[in-house]
Amino acid sequence: MSYIKEKNGVFPAVCPLDCPDQCGLLLHKMDGKIIKVAGDPDHPVTQGNICNKVRHMTDRIYDPKRLQYPLKRIGRKGEGKFQRISWAEAIETIKDRWMHLIDNEGVESILPYGFYGNMGRISAEGMDRRFFNRLGVSIQDQTICSAAGSKGYSYTMGGSFGTDPEETVHAKLFVFWGVNAVSTNMHQVALAQKARKNGAKIIVIDVHKNQTGRLADWFIPILPGTDGALALGIMHILFAEKMTDYNFLQKYTVGHEQLREHVVHYDPLTVSEITGVPIEDIYKLARMYGEISPSFIRIGNGLQHHDNGGMAVRTIACLPALTGQWIVKGGGAIKGNGGFLSHNVRALQRPSLRKNKNARVINMNLIGQALLETKEPVRSMYVYNSNPAVVTPEGNKVRQGLAREDLFLVVHDLFLTETAMFADIVLPATSSFENTDFYTSYWHHYMQIQQPVIEPYGESKSNPDVFRMLAKTFGFEEEAFEHTDEQLIRQSIDDVDNPYLNDANYEILVKDKFLKADRSINLLDNLPTPSGKIELYSKQMERDGLPGLPTYTPIVNEGDLPFLFIPAPNHNFLNSTFSNNEKHISLEKFPRLHINSADAKKRSIEDGDTVRVWNERGECELIAAVGENVLPGVAVSQGLWADLSGKKYFVNSLVPDRVADMGGGATFFSGRVDIEKV
């Protein structure tokens, strides 16, 4: 079925953004052009409600600044001088430059750099992986977002498996922990609000009283990087006051006896001194969690972006087991739910095409270091579905590396991004509404399909199409490079070793628009941990050189700078996506820095003042938002603002590129800064 031929009508679609909600959409077309993006009321979870980011997607698709044809650089790197070329010249240039590097520097001097700017599975991890595996280039370790927390959660639960969000309407206690769900998971908020009408209480634990904190029945401010300590303090009280479910612990967990002895050391006084949460509030929180059922914890992305982020998530993930919430409808927790929808990754990515099985691996959080490395340097990067000049840690290092004249940089994107400004070749990308793809949510339990609704914009091409062109130009003869988008989807879902998707196939997906993972299978009887149970104590962690029991370790001490700095998301951008669009900029207005009134007074800073935020890594200028929304000694910015205008909004110039305790994850939120009025 092709929706492109129809000039007028309403057509189903999927939100492509890196967001847990992954909404079902309806696209309204007139004369072959999308004139309105609306929610699909038939979607079982999102039910027709969408955010402003997607509601205004037409402004992005038809933005006059959108790229329409390939470009090659004719000025200095970063100067923004390009001239139009043909696709044939672009592809041939890439081939010639790469063949020269392969012959003279080795194939591993080439590095792909991509992520999930488009969450379509074949756009983000299909023909691209096949091509780069066959070519044999260096491997990018995709760890920038959820790696630490996912690893920590998997030590406890065996993988990305949590509560069905649709069931959380039955919860009587919601704990939003380290997640600004109003801006990043709005449909979980909608479910909580429905539950609230039936008497549920909403608690928010965060470093910033953001929009989610303001809707809570109780907001608990916490010092950055201390979430694991608070969870251990709750455990201390649950065990001490006999609020644990012994029968559940005996049947479904390992290590509860060791954990009981271990958490004796995390008494409320100690935990209060670590977290900044008053002792009486720790008791109140623990007793609410121990006495109210069903209770549900939404574990957010934010708290894992610390030096100790993996262990923090691992620790919080133990809490539902202590009170037996996993067997209560609506209880439990969600960090992610992608395990229920896991597809046939090997069939899609074809790692068997790679001959050099021990190719070097570069952590994407360390790309600044890698680009400045003089021994076996990266000589070429191919960037797609990402904007590393803005989104990566130690951003000034990254930009310095991208500015190297001896780095051959190719960028495939919809816009001339900050990264593309440094490119030698720029390729125009299609939007998701111009592609065929399938999507798997990492929050709800539905897989969805996208059929193309409009023609490609200008000469733009999809990721799979470009990599098919490259494979042909390089003379790759394997059948894997001839597969269509439909075949890629079929290979991913028609034969998948996932009991929750036993009945999934392409025909059902096309007919019904979405299909749900089979949740009749009991999760607790199928946990893929080494023991097959919830692991409160983990031998695997000890084998990996980590404490086997949940343990609090402070974040790295960066010295005497007075503020812990948290560059959090804002409401109208998604990372750097939308930050270059006038509509979304007008909605967000300007980049703020939230600081406590007491800190502002000491520095003669008033609300609305421009402030310089700095450390040894860099500096930026933001607008002060003074009040009580953060604790003293904490500074929170919101949003990754485009800085093509020359304004000093580049917050990721301030953040460390240290690697977190698990999974090679990022430590965006464990840096320190100083602040002064401009």
Side-chain angles (χ1 to χ4, degrees), residues 70-74 81-83 85 89 424-426:
L71 304 170
K72 73 174 180 181
R73 177 170 64 92
I74 57 173
K81 290 186 177 180
F82 298 91
Q83 75 177 27
I85 58 173
E89 181 180 349
D424 298 279
I425 298 290
V426 180

Side-chain angles (χ1 to χ4, degrees), residues 210-268:
N210 46 43
Q211 292 192 58
T212 310
R214 292 195 289 274
L215 72 77
D217 297 298
W218 183 21
F219 173 71
I220 303 174
I222 187 171
L223 288 171
T226 65
D227 304 271
L230 180 58
L232 288 161
I234 294 170
M235 293 180 194
H236 173 102
I237 296 168
L238 293 176
F239 279 119
E241 299 191 356
K242 297 181 173 54
M243 290 186 285
T244 56
D245 186 330
Y246 180 77
N247 291 333
F248 182 94
L249 292 171
Q250 282 288 96
K251 183 176 181 180
Y252 292 114
T253 75
V254 294
H256 65 91
E257 299 93 345
Q258 296 101 309
L259 183 62
R260 181 193 302 270
E261 296 176 5
H262 176 66
V263 299
V264 169
H265 305 292
Y266 293 94
D267 60 273

Side-chain angles (χ1 to χ4, degrees), residues 397-413:
K397 276 187 189 177
V398 177
R399 295 187 183 197
Q400 184 182 346
L402 293 174
R404 284 172 34 209
E405 282 293 337
D406 65 339
L407 177 76
F408 177 61
L409 179 63
V410 181
V411 175
H412 186 201
D413 209 306

Side-chain angles (χ1 to χ4, degrees), residues 472-490:
K472 184 177 181 179
T473 302
F474 273 83
F476 295 165
E477 297 179 350
E478 290 86 351
E479 184 184 358
F481 298 106
E482 299 175 3
H483 293 154
T484 64
D485 294 344
E486 178 183 326
Q487 287 175 305
L488 292 175
I489 298 173
R490 287 184 179 277

